[in-house]
């Protein structure tokens, strides 16, 4: 069976349009999900999800401590970085949601300290 020129053009246009729609429907190519970071008494969940912001779907990230029970001389430090620069830090409160869309490269980390010496450093995926 032979496919005519008009049919080939129509199929190409249909598949091309479908590809553009599929790519345009999800502009954020991220690693969404929840990732456990930290150790011992300093543990957090790096949460990455798509959220509707300014008329489109964009990634957002949160560093959500779930275990921050270190006691002196131990202590916890939870951070968020954007493009390698620290933008948030806490010893136990959550970060709330930060935009992680185009132009952002975010990462959540959890550190456990003892008498000024860092015992562990754990980070989630860069997104």
């Amino acid at each position: 069976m032979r496919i005519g020129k008009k049919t080939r053009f129509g199929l190409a246009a249909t598949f091309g349009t479908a590809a553009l729609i599929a790519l345009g429907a999800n502009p954020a190519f991220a690693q969404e999900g929840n990732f456990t970071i930290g150790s011992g008494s300093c543990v957090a969940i790096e949460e990455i999800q798509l959220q509707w912001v300014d008329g489109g779907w964009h990634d957002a990230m949160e560093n959500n401590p779930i275990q921050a029970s270190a006691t002196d001389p131990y202590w916890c430090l939870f951070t968020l970085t954007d493009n390698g620069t620290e933008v948030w830090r806490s010893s136990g409160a959550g970060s709330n949601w930060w935009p992680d869309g185009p132009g952002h490269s975010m990462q959540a980390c959890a550190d456990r300290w003892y008498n000024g010496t860092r015992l562990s450093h754990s980070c989630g995926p860069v997104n």
Side-chain angles (χ1 to χ4, degrees):
M1 178 173 161
R2 219 181 135 113
I3 297 176
K5 187 175 183 178
K6 285 184 180 181
T7 303
R8 284 194 308 263
F9 180 77
L11 286 172
T14 300
F15 286 122
T17 301
L20 286 175
I21 289 171
L23 291 173
N26 189 5
F29 299 100
Q31 184 174 358
E32 280 83 22
N34 295 335
F35 306 91
T36 303
I37 56 175
S39 67
S41 55
C42 304
V43 179
I45 303 293
E46 177 185 79
E47 299 178 60
I48 306 167
Q49 63 181 237
L50 285 174
Q51 295 183 357
W52 187 260
V53 179
D54 297 329
W57 289 102
H58 298 283
D59 290 318
M61 181 181 286
E62 178 179 39
N63 191 336
N64 186 16
I66 58 171
Q67 178 72 25
S69 61
T71 55
D72 192 31
Y74 292 92
W75 61 282
C76 303
L77 176 64
F78 302 96
T79 59
L80 274 179
T81 59
D82 186 8
N83 296 317
T85 301
E86 186 179 287
V87 295
W88 171 87
R89 69 171 31 214
S90 171
S91 61
S95 69
N96 294 317
W97 291 100
W98 285 71
D100 187 18
H104 296 277
S105 182
M106 305 270 315
Q107 186 174 38
C109 297
D111 296 333
R112 188 168 180 246
W113 293 78
Y114 175 78
N115 275 339
T117 301
R118 187 167 68 181
L119 297 178
S120 66
H121 176 73
S122 174
C123 297
V126 175
N127 200 46

